[in-house]
Amino acid sequence: MVSRTSPLHLLTLAAVGAGMGWLIEVLLTASGRPILIPSIALAVSLFLIAVIVVVLAVPIYRYSRGLRRQRVNPFFALRVVVLAKASSFSGSLLGGAALAIAFYLLSRTVSPGSGVVATSFVVSAAAIVLLVAGLVAEYLCTIPPDDEDSSSRTPTDPQGAA
């Protein structure tokens, strides 16, 4: 059984991403190299991945709620859950890094341009969309609780045995 994604883990990854993003920008600036500037293609890619993750989770949701008769391959369901968790983790990490890059660019006395800062904010927004899509897909892959009362089962009932 896969546990739900913890908000503490997501916040920790966002902080690590922000720290690494800021540190990389500082080190690149100090060494005289060009800084990293996220492109709009990254934002589009993150958004498309978010859509794909949610679309992959919909058949699992439909089957688990009885809206679909065709059985879902359990290995497919497991892969979608793992993809959902990875998407939320990577969205958190990339979102923190993109926000750190945007704030680093805003903290400079000579800014590279408003388009570059806006692009960094767009990438961070796309990363947050990926994070949310991962959490939604993870929710869609959960099995609803049983409607039956577990106390009414007898110890000899095979469904009552854990």
Side-chain angles (χ1 to χ4, degrees):
M1 183 169 138
V2 179
S3 63
R4 300 292 299 257
T5 302
S6 167
L8 180 63
H9 291 146
L10 295 176
L11 289 173
T12 302
L13 282 173
V16 167
M20 292 301 294
W22 189 277
L23 181 67
I24 288 171
E25 295 292 342
V26 167
L27 292 176
L28 287 173
T29 302
S31 66
R33 296 186 179 151
I35 59 174
L36 292 177
I37 299 172
S39 70
I40 199 73
L42 177 60
V44 171
S45 299
L46 292 175
F47 181 75
L48 288 175
I49 292 169
V51 169
I52 290 169
V53 167
V54 173
V55 166
L56 287 174
V58 168
I60 299 165
Y61 174 79
R62 292 183 67 213
Y63 178 74
S64 67
R65 300 308 190 268
L67 303 172
R68 177 182 170 173
R69 292 191 184 272
Q70 184 181 3
R71 189 178 157 116
V72 175
N73 185 345
F75 293 113
F76 172 75
L78 180 66
R79 289 180 187 122
V80 171
V81 170
V82 171
L83 178 65
K85 286 183 81 68
S87 297
S88 60
F89 287 157
S90 60
S92 179
L93 192 65
L94 289 171
L99 277 176
I101 290 171
F103 286 121
Y104 178 80
L105 293 173
L106 288 174
S107 71
R108 303 290 85 202
T109 55
V110 178
S111 179
S114 62
V116 174
V117 175
T119 303
S120 296
F121 280 117
V122 169
V123 168
S124 65
I128 292 170
V129 167
L130 179 63
L131 183 149
V132 170
L135 293 175
V136 167
E138 186 178 336
Y139 169 77
L140 292 177
C141 292
T142 57
I143 299 172
D146 290 336
D147 292 335
E148 301 174 11
D149 185 19
S150 62
S151 63
S152 66
R153 295 184 179 161
T154 61
T156 58
D157 185 11
Q159 291 185 6

